[in-house]
Amino acid sequence: MKFTVLTLFPEIPRAYFESSIMAKAVEKGIIAYDLVNIRDFALDKHKKCDDAPYGGGAGQLMMTEPLGLALDSVKAKRKRVIYVTPGGEPFTQKKAYELSREEELVFICGRYEGIDQRIIDYYVDDEISIGDYVMSSGEVAATVMVDTIYRLVDGVISSESLVEESYSDGLLEYPQYTRPDVYKGMAVPEVLLSGNHENIRKWRLKKRIEKTLRNRPDMIWSAKQNGQLSLEAKKMIEEITEQTSVKNLKKKKTKKSGDL
């Protein structure tokens, strides 16, 4: 798979592509990348790539012609082009899986107040947001997406590592522990030291459900709607929800007794 990144600051994504697991994937030939400096396509000697927006307003926009020429240089019309922007659709694990099946992705890294709408209309296939906030660096946002996508490409990491990750089947990941057995008075859960793989599996599933109910209850509802939950998981959810309701009821009664 190839990632082509169009940017005014290629040194930002370059550091990522040359480090850690990504560097190994590139070395093995599983991943390829091309960093295209938009300034190389500027029309003046000063390499100017921004201008004031029509209609007035604060800030500058990336100029249309240098960005368009950069896109033409990588034959963007034949490829899947992504513009990372706060105004795009939310980036999800499901979207990452979809994009990981492409042969090549072209990323436009915005700067300033964004890019000309005509570039979006002519070249862009997907406008994607990594969150409900605004960043000054499209390079950082694009790198977040690249990091999420490339690890799903066959051969980058073991398939076993992906099976029970957060979002993989509608649930967050269970808590993990390593040596030592006791740290600052806190012991590793006994079930993980038991060697009983079935009990460990059930414990991990329960912890996944508890964590998802606590941090992302919306995911539980969505997983139910999409048919992602097993009968075992559904039963655990009912049991945990019932136990939580009983605990909360007892707390309320205790509080009322104390008030009296």
Side-chain angles (χ1 to χ4, degrees):
M1 182 180 192
K2 183 177 181 180
F3 294 98
T4 297
V5 183
L6 277 62
T7 168
L8 295 173
F9 301 94
E11 62 274 15
I12 297 176
R14 179 176 290 115
Y16 171 75
F17 281 104
E18 295 178 353
S19 302
S20 191
I21 300 174
M22 172 60 88
K24 293 177 182 177
V26 172
E27 186 180 343
K28 291 178 181 177
I30 301 171
I31 300 295
Y33 70 96
D34 186 17
L35 304 178
V36 179
N37 192 334
I38 300 167
R39 294 188 193 279
D40 291 342
F41 299 88
L43 304 179
D44 69 326
K45 63 180 181 180
H46 300 294
K47 303 293 183 182
K48 182 177 173 62
C49 287
D50 63 298
D51 207 343
Y54 281 120
Q60 300 281 93
L61 287 180
M62 290 180 69
M63 293 176 66
T64 308
E65 286 143 318
L67 181 52
L69 290 170
L71 286 160
D72 289 339
S73 76
V74 299
K75 297 180 173 57
K77 288 291 287 183
R78 302 179 186 175
K79 299 164 185 176
R80 189 158 182 176
V81 179
I82 297 169
Y83 173 43
V84 187
T85 167
E89 66 173 286
F91 186 49
T92 63
Q93 190 73 5
K94 182 180 179 181
K95 189 71 174 181
Y97 272 110
E98 175 193 330
L99 295 174
S100 71
R101 301 299 179 255
E102 297 284 339
E103 290 186 7
E104 181 174 354
L105 296 173
V106 177
F107 286 87
I108 300 175
C109 299
R111 281 276 169 168
Y112 316 120
E113 293 298 312
I115 65 177
D116 192 297
Q117 183 62 40
R118 290 168 294 183
I119 291 288
I120 298 172
D121 294 341
Y122 189 76
Y123 292 100
V124 173
D125 298 297
D126 303 89
E127 294 180 75
I128 300 178
S129 168
I130 64 168
D132 295 340
Y133 47 86
V134 179
M135 302 174 69
S136 61
S137 171
E139 290 76 18
V140 173
T143 301
V144 167
M145 287 191 61
V146 170
D147 184 74
T148 308
I149 294 165
Y150 95 99
R151 60 193 303 280
L152 301 174
V153 175
D154 290 342
V156 173
I157 61 175
S158 68
S159 57
E160 288 181 359
S161 298
L162 303 175
V163 173
E164 292 184 330
E165 285 190 320
S166 294
Y167 308 105
S168 61
D169 57 0
L171 299 172
L172 299 177
E173 192 172 8
Y174 50 78
Q176 301 270 20
Y177 299 86
T178 187
R179 295 178 181 176
D181 293 359
V182 179
Y183 175 71
K184 294 186 181 293
M186 296 178 288
V188 173
E190 191 173 324
V191 65
L192 298 179
L193 306 175
S194 68
N196 188 317
H197 297 294
E198 178 61 13
N199 286 346
I200 291 172
R201 184 194 66 79
K202 289 180 178 179
W203 179 88
R204 285 175 168 171
L205 176 59
K206 183 178 180 182
K207 290 301 177 183
R208 295 186 75 197
I209 291 170
E210 288 176 344
K211 186 173 184 178
T212 309
L213 284 169
R214 182 174 65 251
N215 295 345
R216 291 292 304 275
D218 58 298
M219 286 178 57
I220 296 289
W221 181 86
S222 180
K224 285 182 177 179
Q225 293 294 110
N226 296 329
Q228 291 177 280
L229 298 176
S230 65
L231 290 175
E232 182 183 25
K234 290 178 181 177
K235 185 177 179 181
M236 278 192 185
I237 290 169
E238 291 176 2
E239 291 173 353
I240 293 168
T241 303
E242 185 177 340
Q243 290 168 5
T244 303
S245 298
V246 171
K247 286 181 181 178
N248 290 338
L249 184 60
K250 286 181 178 179
K251 284 181 181 179
K252 287 182 180 179
K253 288 182 177 179
T254 302
K255 186 177 180 181
K256 286 181 178 179
S257 298
D259 292 339
L260 294 174

